[in-house]
Amino acid sequence: MAPTSWGRAKAAERRGDEGVSKQEIREKIWDYMEAQNIADFPRPVHHRIPNFKGRKTLLVPTPRLRTGLFNKIVPPPGATKEILRKCATSQGIKNYSVPIGLDSRVQVDLVVVGSVAVSEKGWRVGKGEGYADMEYAMMVSMGAVREETPVITIVHDCQVVDIPEELLGDHDLTVDYILTPTRLIVTGCTRPKPQGILWFMISDEMMERIPILKNLHFREKQAGKDVTLQNEHLAHVKTSHQQAPLQKTGHIASHMPSDSTHSAHWDDEHRTSKTESSGVTTVYVGNIPLDARVSDMKRTLREHGAVPLRLNWQGSQGRAFLDYKDQATAKGVVSSLKGLTFGGKTLWVNLAKKQKNK
């Protein structure tokens, strides 16, 4: 693909509200790096943070957080260049490292994080498993990083694309500097980085899979912090709706149209005035398959403990608007539904426009 062709490909990413998902961005980067033979071992790069030719090998936290957070590489005395090279691999971490526990008073001066895609504004897309975001949040919890600790990502030039801010959640890590083979980008990003573990996003399965989370969960609970896990949080949200004073409207309104051929119009101005006057906060759900039915959406919301006071279904436009009793409840729902797959497509879930800064 010629540079001008890649320029057109990047321009296609600048769709913003018109519709682009994180997974679409990932697939585009992965496909391009494979097609142009830019990627280095391991191949293929799909579902990985790509290594590319000419990139230096980086030291990383314990792979997948299986045995802890940090590992300190301790090369043997008189180590050869070959041994030092092995020290920077996953096998090297096993053979030449010692773990650094939560009690250590380590101070991290610079965080280097892998990315599949990144924007010049500092928005970052990883491979979709959330480990980098969680690693950073853990470092915040143990006092290893501060707000001013710079975060850098090293990518190929083709991985720098436009990413809509609407795709980001409170748990997503942003970057301050981007290094490519041809330039250094200072993002000037002012979006707050994660302030610690968002426990309401952590499932019981994750707690079992990542033992260090249990330790950190116990410590923060002892410190009096809110450590409600995902399953408990969803159950609480569901119970709150069922016990609300407007119990009859606490379920999705049954009078809403049952298919996408009868969609009501609800513009931004109406949504904003309604919120300001009644205290109700509206959540926007987009990228809904055009053949989806409102009954399927109702069932999905019930299963995730996200039953709204009202649902405005606009299936013909691939979207819906959900009303919740207050902003705290709405934000909890946004976090719970973020990244949810519905009808084979990843939903876009955010507070409705003009409410994010309310």
Side-chain angles (χ1 to χ4, degrees), residues 212-316:
I212 192 174
L213 277 177
K214 291 183 179 180
N215 193 335
L216 195 54
H217 183 266
F218 175 78
R219 289 167 179 252
E220 297 204 353
K221 184 176 182 179
Q222 291 294 101
K225 296 184 179 180
D226 183 359
V227 292
T228 304
L229 297 177
Q230 185 183 77
N231 293 345
E232 299 168 336
H233 173 75
L234 293 177
H236 174 72
V237 171
K238 184 175 182 179
T239 302
S240 297
H241 284 306
Q242 290 174 340
Q243 296 178 347
L246 297 176
Q247 190 162 0
K248 291 185 178 179
T249 59
H251 292 76
I252 302 175
S254 60
H255 64 273
M256 295 309 299
S258 59
D259 56 47
S260 60
T261 61
H262 300 85
S263 61
H265 178 67
W266 195 7
D267 59 24
D268 289 341
E269 181 179 358
H270 179 73
R271 291 199 304 273
T272 303
S273 62
K274 181 179 181 65
T275 299
E276 292 173 349
S277 63
S278 66
V280 170
T281 301
T282 303
V283 171
Y284 163 78
V285 180
N287 204 34
I288 298 174
L290 297 182
D291 60 348
R293 298 182 63 83
V294 68
S295 57
D296 296 328
M297 176 60 73
K298 291 178 182 180
R299 182 174 60 254
T300 298
L301 293 175
R302 289 192 187 100
E303 290 173 351
H304 287 79
V307 177
L309 299 174
R310 284 169 294 277
L311 183 152
N312 189 322
W313 178 255
Q314 300 182 14
S316 63

Side-chain angles (χ1 to χ4, degrees), residues 342-356:
F342 181 76
K345 300 179 72 173
T346 301
L347 296 177
W348 306 333
V349 187
N350 290 287
L351 295 183
K353 279 186 176 181
K354 299 182 183 179
Q355 296 186 51
K356 295 179 182 178

Side-chain angles (χ1 to χ4, degrees), residues 13 20-30 48-50 113-120 122-133 153-155 159-169 171-175 178:
E13 297 286 355
V20 61
S21 69
K22 286 184 177 180
Q23 189 60 27
E24 289 172 330
I25 294 173
R26 294 183 186 107
E27 295 292 344
K28 195 173 196 68
I29 296 295
W30 286 328
R48 302 178 187 274
I49 297 296
V113 62
S115 302
V116 172
V118 67
S119 78
E120 292 190 9
W123 315 153
R124 172 189 169 274
V125 174
K127 63 175 180 274
E129 296 181 337
Y131 282 104
D133 305 312
T153 191
I154 302 176
V155 297
Q159 292 172 261
V160 183
V161 298
D162 284 347
I163 299 173
E165 186 176 6
E166 290 79 10
L167 297 181
L168 303 186
H171 65 288
D172 285 318
L173 179 61
T174 56
V175 301
I178 303 169

Side-chain angles (χ1 to χ4, degrees), residues 30-31 33-35 37 39-51:
W30 286 328
D31 290 346
M33 295 188 78
E34 282 292 333
N37 198 31
D40 205 349
F41 177 84
R43 300 280 292 272
V45 294
H46 292 80
H47 309 292
R48 302 178 187 274
I49 297 296
N51 289 321

